[in-house]
Amino acid sequence: MDLPKNPFKAALRAGQRQIGLWHTFANPDVAELMATCGYDWILMDTEHSPAGPAEALAFLRTVAPYPVTGVVRPAWNDPVEIKKMLDVGAQTLLIPYVQTPEEARAAVAAVTYPPKGIRGVAGVTRATRYGSVEKYAERANEEICLLVQVETRSALEQIEEIASVEGVDGVFIGPADLAASFGYPGQPSHPEVKAAILDGFARLKKVGVPGGILSLDDGLLRDSAEAGAQFLAVEIDSTMIRKAALARRADWS
């Protein structure tokens, strides 16, 4: 069996915009419903949800038959957790709270086998299709896509250096945590925060590294796309359901 391809990584390299959704429920039925909706990628968030590697495995299996890339966000830049997510078959990871180039290099090492990295080697995993992918250990990084998340003022100041670390495929700017870092918790679209985000995307564009964002503010999303953001998450499953439920109830008030 050949190594599974990663269409999300290929699209980023080709400069193609990728529109995605955030999955927080860790429910296969919700994930499958979302997978039928024509988005390019769906991210399963295990940082701000009860989900872990077992739920990530179920998510990846659920979306696999559909033309969408399953992305997983581990809870932390932890090589043990990253190893588990890779072994259950995640090929695209978003690593939260990467503050420095050194932390970006640690994330790269965690997704890379020795001698260049520290990923533990296991031959019979879902990632290797239970041992059926030929030369998996030699070729795995061809299709692994590593995205790192910049979400503080300090990290934003170093965004070019973080983006330029060999092995980083994209940089995601997190508006919520960035707003808190700027002193505006709960205000991810504050003008000062927005200006910093757009400047960050412009700087990423100059070094030729794809940038990404999650926002429910269409104005911020469109301005980010104009500034160069390439992978944009435009909704969250929980907010979509809540908004629809509130709107329907309002119809019958």
Side-chain angles (χ1 to χ4, degrees), residues 30-211:
V30 175
E32 187 165 34
L33 185 155
M34 292 166 58
T36 68
C37 294
Y39 289 84
D40 300 303
W41 58 286
I42 301 171
L43 180 139
M44 180 172 185
D45 189 3
T46 74
E47 180 187 10
H48 292 294
S49 81
E55 290 80 9
L57 170 59
F59 163 74
L60 293 166
R61 280 179 173 155
T62 298
V63 304
Y66 298 92
V68 63
T69 296
V71 179
V72 176
R73 176 162 74 170
W76 198 246
N77 189 6
D78 176 354
V80 174
E81 186 170 1
I82 289 170
K83 173 174 59 180
K84 287 179 178 290
M85 297 302 183
L86 292 171
D87 283 349
V88 301
Q91 288 184 302
T92 302
L93 295 179
L94 173 61
I95 310 301
Y97 208 76
V98 172
Q99 290 285 88
T100 64
E102 290 74 25
E103 291 184 6
R105 281 190 279 271
V108 172
V111 304
T112 307
Y113 285 123
K116 292 183 177 181
I118 61 169
R119 179 183 174 186
V121 181
V124 185
T125 63
R126 183 174 182 272
T128 70
R129 296 303 184 261
Y130 307 99
S132 64
V133 174
E134 294 183 11
K135 299 183 178 179
Y136 175 82
E138 296 176 34
R139 299 183 54 212
N141 275 80
E142 294 175 14
E143 302 299 335
I144 289 174
C145 182
L146 178 65
L147 312 172
V148 298
Q149 189 161 337
V150 166
E151 45 193 328
T152 67
R153 184 193 292 265
S154 173
L156 196 61
E157 290 171 352
Q158 304 175 75
I159 196 167
E160 293 98 337
E161 292 84 358
I162 291 170
S164 298
V165 170
E166 184 178 358
V168 169
D169 296 295
V171 176
F172 181 94
I173 299 178
D177 285 283
L178 189 62
S181 176
F182 270 75
Y184 306 108
Q187 301 180 63
S189 296
H190 186 281
E192 186 179 349
V193 178
K194 181 175 180 178
I197 290 170
L198 298 182
D199 178 66
F201 286 130
R203 291 157 63 193
L204 287 173
K205 190 174 182 179
K206 286 182 180 178
V207 297
V209 175

